[in-house]
Amino acid sequence: MREVNIARYPVDLHVHTTVSDGTLTPTQVIELAVAEGIRVIGITDHDTIDGIVEALAAGNRLGVEVVPAVELDIKDEGEKDFVELHLLGYGVDYTAPALITVLDQVVQARIEQKVAQIEMLQRDGIDVPVEEVFALARGVPGRPHIAQVVMTRSPGRFPNKEVLFREYLAPGGKAYIPRRFSLRLAEAVDLVVQAGGVPVLAHPGAYPDVRDPEAMVRRARDEAGIQGLEVAYTYDKNRPHYGASSRQVTALIAKFAALADHLGLLKTGGSDFHGMGKKIALGEQGLSWEEWVNLKAQMNQISTRTSC
Ligand code: AMP
Ligand code: FE
Ligand code: FE
Ligand code: ZN
């Protein structure tokens, strides 16, 4: 029998590369997209747009449409139920000076935070050299890089990464500290809009500490101005619905699609592919071609409106 390699979704708008915590370079991501028959890729690295130029070049060469984007970590506003939120900015002008300047500040604060976290782990006798974490990260460092070095250096100390996060790296953990600088949701939305992009709240059902996701999304629209919602997402591969059945995932996606329609928000979707780091395939979630054509037309309308 012939092996047919057909991607489930031809459009995957949530993908990480080596410039943040993915394990494939932007070029390798595009090559994989070609191999899997995926036609549109959104590059959404954490707090950086450093992978976009390379991805666009590879996309041009290999015939994959690349949507320049970023996934911003948002400052908590607990009273609004905005806790550990992520904002996606689609179609941002990755040469916009204001965007570049703010992202530089965010990344600098992130680096300081990670160094401090590593030092707290070291004080507890955990073998985790700063240089090794930064060598692994290459680009923007994240907690998954720290976790990987700890797991490799001290096999057996933690049964798995989840436990390491719970004891040390997650909020409330012994090596958790907030970042000196990050954007509040409304500020991040403004930054994306100023850079000509469309602000979309990422994976609304994947915030373990948000009490009421539906009310939170409404507030994010009314008080911060988000224009879209990431509806399709690999909920079964991420907290807090890790291991959910495909029926449960479908139900979550349907719930947030209805919410987006009700609130007049654009609907996006993607896999949150990180390469080998997470067990998620490129194109495992995303949009159908028809959904993409609709979304693209709506996004273009928004950008024309803001630039006039
Ligand atoms: P950072 O960018 O340093 O804030 O790290 C965020 C990343 O850490 C997320 O994208 C997840 O991949 C991972 N992460 C956060 N919390 C946990 C957790 N409790 N267990 C496993 N991974 C987590
Ligand atoms: Fe990540
Ligand atoms: Fe995210
Ligand atoms: Zn992501």
Side-chain angles (χ1 to χ4, degrees):
M1 211 171 63
R2 199 159 61 91
E3 280 282 317
V4 190
N5 227 352
I6 303 173
R8 258 189 270 182
Y9 293 92
V11 180
D12 185 342
L13 296 180
H14 194 147
V15 176
H16 294 268
T17 77
T18 44
V19 307
S20 68
D21 57 350
T23 64
L24 301 187
T25 65
T27 303
Q28 288 170 331
V29 164
I30 300 306
E31 288 169 350
L32 182 60
V34 172
E36 301 285 330
I38 299 168
R39 296 162 70 183
V40 181
I41 291 286
I43 298 286
T44 56
D45 279 302
H46 296 291
D47 294 330
T48 181
I49 46 178
D50 287 352
I52 305 260
V53 169
E54 182 186 325
L56 282 168
N60 262 330
R61 192 156 34 85
L62 299 171
V64 173
E65 180 170 355
V66 170
V67 184
V70 63
E71 183 174 23
L72 298 165
D73 267 30
I74 301 303
K75 192 192 201 103
D76 290 350
E77 293 177 86
E79 70 288 357
K80 295 183 178 169
D81 211 13
F82 294 170
V83 187
E84 289 214 88
L85 301 186
H86 289 171
L87 183 78
L88 298 159
Y90 284 109
V92 285
D93 171 5
Y94 49 92
T95 65
L99 180 65
I100 293 171
T101 305
V102 174
L103 291 181
D104 280 348
Q105 289 174 297
V106 169
V107 169
Q108 199 48 46
R110 200 185 241 284
I111 291 170
E112 287 170 26
Q113 175 201 33
K114 299 311 162 207
V115 170
Q117 288 188 286
I118 293 166
E119 286 170 353
M120 290 166 98
L121 287 160
Q122 290 171 340
R123 257 178 255 134
D124 249 21
I126 295 166
D127 184 15
V128 50
V130 174
E131 321 75 65
E132 208 166 305
V133 174
F134 281 76
L136 175 69
R138 291 192 267 183
V140 173
R143 282 174 286 167
H145 299 117
I146 300 178
Q148 195 181 323
V149 172
V150 170
M151 298 306 281
T152 313
R153 283 248 167 190
S154 311
R157 167 119 198 196
F158 300 94
N160 54 49
K161 283 185 189 170
E162 274 301 320
V163 175
L164 167 61
F165 266 89
R166 201 174 331 121
E167 282 184 25
Y168 283 93
L169 296 172
K174 282 185 268 181
Y176 181 80
I177 29 170
R179 219 176 303 158
R180 175 175 56 75
F181 174 70
S182 50
L183 300 168
R184 285 195 298 272
L185 186 61
E187 295 169 329
V189 164
D190 285 348
L191 183 71
V192 167
V193 170
Q194 298 294 322
V198 178
V200 172
L201 187 73
H203 42 66
Y207 299 117
D209 297 321
V210 166
R211 294 181 300 272
D212 182 345
E214 289 175 273
M216 179 275 286
V217 170
R218 178 185 285 274
R219 207 169 297 117
R221 182 197 66 165
D222 293 347
E223 297 180 23
I226 60 158
Q227 296 174 1
L229 194 61
E230 185 180 44
V231 165
Y233 190 68
T234 47
Y235 282 113
D236 52 331
K237 304 288 176 74
N238 287 283
R239 294 170 311 139
H241 301 289
Y242 200 85
S245 69
S246 61
R247 273 182 61 188
Q248 289 168 316
V249 173
T250 305
L252 278 164
I253 292 174
K255 179 177 87 169
F256 288 117
L259 180 65
D261 287 341
H262 181 64
L263 297 177
L265 296 168
L266 302 186
K267 290 174 284 187
T268 75
S271 67
D272 213 353
F273 178 74
H274 278 71
M276 310 314 146
K278 290 186 182 182
K279 292 183 185 70
I280 294 172
L282 194 66
E284 183 168 329
Q285 271 297 345
L287 300 181
S288 70
W289 193 252
E290 194 188 353
E291 288 169 332
W292 164 243
V293 170
N294 275 330
L295 173 65
K296 193 173 169 178
Q298 291 170 310
M299 281 190 174
N300 284 340
Q301 251 178 13
I302 290 177
S303 342
T304 334
R305 229 183 291 140
T306 32
S307 63
C308 287

